[in-house]
Amino acid sequence: MKPILFNTEMVRAILEGRKTVTRRAMKPQPELVGRFWVFGDARWSDTVRTVTPLPGHTLYNRAPYRCGDILWVRETWAKDIDGEFVYRTDYGTTGDDSFPPSMFKWRPSIHMPREAARVFLRVIDVRAEQLQNITLEDIKREGIRQEGGDRIEDWLGKPRKRWIDTWNGTIKPKELAAYGWSADPWVWRIRFERIAKEEAGQDEWV
């Protein structure tokens, strides 16, 4: 069982069933040597943009998560006056908050203890791919809302830009050149399904 970080918007997308895929930058990045990408003892042609890691190979061993892993989601949290855990996601965004953001002393997701976890995921697929290889269907799976129709042309505008902005917003400014959308970095594409707390075995380690 491993922790995984999501911001408030993405936690909401998971809770609503809209988000079933996440991407994480590969660090370090594969190196292009001649006509081959090299990552540890793994290498593949420079024409390949998606690779499925195989058990025992360097690519598989270096993946942050593997098929079957159970993940507990770290999110922005606090405790109420009774000492019960509360979650920022349940109180809307800063713009539409019906409760003032200062109502609780919100704590960063990185500091969330595992006993506070309420969202659990099971990894069902892991691939290595270049960021710009994302499909329109995967933009949906990433939890990006589409407010218009469902035609391809509807997805080539605002939702695609929203996805790019969302990705770039997760990258530190000094790392944008290496991991931003324009750099087209290699990423881990991680597909998951939400599972119940009992199925995750949470009670065994609380």
Side-chain angles (χ1 to χ4, degrees):
M1 188 173 294
K2 302 176 181 178
I4 186 169
L5 286 169
F6 285 104
N7 63 29
T8 297
E9 180 183 355
M10 292 298 98
V11 172
R12 183 174 294 112
I14 291 173
L15 293 174
E16 293 176 356
R18 294 184 287 110
K19 185 173 179 66
T20 57
V21 168
T22 188
R23 284 166 169 74
R24 305 294 159 118
M26 295 177 69
K27 296 182 179 182
Q29 285 282 294
E31 182 180 2
L32 186 59
V33 180
R35 295 186 58 185
F36 293 92
W37 289 104
V38 178
F39 189 81
D41 62 5
R43 78 175 199 166
W44 56 93
S45 170
D46 63 354
T47 61
V48 173
R49 289 176 58 82
T50 300
V51 181
T52 300
L54 298 175
H57 289 196
T58 297
L59 199 61
Y60 178 87
N61 293 335
R62 294 193 182 185
Y65 308 108
R66 306 176 188 176
C67 291
D69 281 353
I70 303 299
L71 312 180
W72 57 278
V73 173
R74 277 179 160 160
E75 54 181 307
T76 302
W77 62 288
K79 282 189 175 182
D80 62 18
I81 58 175
D82 296 318
E84 298 295 324
F85 291 110
V86 291
Y87 307 92
R88 187 70 183 84
T89 303
D90 296 337
Y91 292 87
T93 63
T94 301
D96 65 10
D97 225 335
S98 56
F99 291 83
S102 59
M103 182 178 182
F104 301 110
K105 184 179 179 181
W106 296 113
R107 304 183 185 183
S109 54
I110 190 66
H111 298 311
M112 181 185 185
R114 63 182 185 179
E115 60 265 25
R118 60 167 177 166
V119 182
F120 300 89
L121 313 171
R122 178 188 290 117
V123 178
I124 56 179
D125 184 63
V126 178
R127 304 179 197 170
E129 67 178 35
Q130 286 187 271
L131 183 61
Q132 292 182 18
N133 197 48
I134 190 171
T135 64
L136 297 178
E137 190 61 36
D138 252 17
I139 289 177
K140 297 180 184 180
R141 293 191 183 110
E142 282 277 1
I144 303 301
R145 291 183 181 275
Q146 167 53 16
E147 299 170 357
D150 217 22
R151 304 169 303 170
I152 289 180
E153 50 266 39
D154 293 325
W155 281 92
L156 291 177
K158 291 182 179 179
R160 184 172 184 273
K161 182 180 184 302
R162 196 175 301 130
W163 155 247
I164 294 172
D165 291 344
T166 296
W167 173 264
N168 285 342
T170 67
I171 307 299
K172 297 178 181 178
K174 64 181 181 181
E175 295 185 338
L176 275 174
Y179 302 112
W181 171 265
S182 297
D184 196 17
W186 281 87
V187 298
W188 299 106
R189 176 194 180 272
I190 302 155
R191 188 159 63 94
F192 55 81
E193 61 182 356
R194 188 181 174 192
I195 60 176
K197 174 181 178 178
E198 295 73 21
E199 191 174 357
Q202 160 82 334
D203 293 335
E204 298 177 5
W205 44 261
V206 168

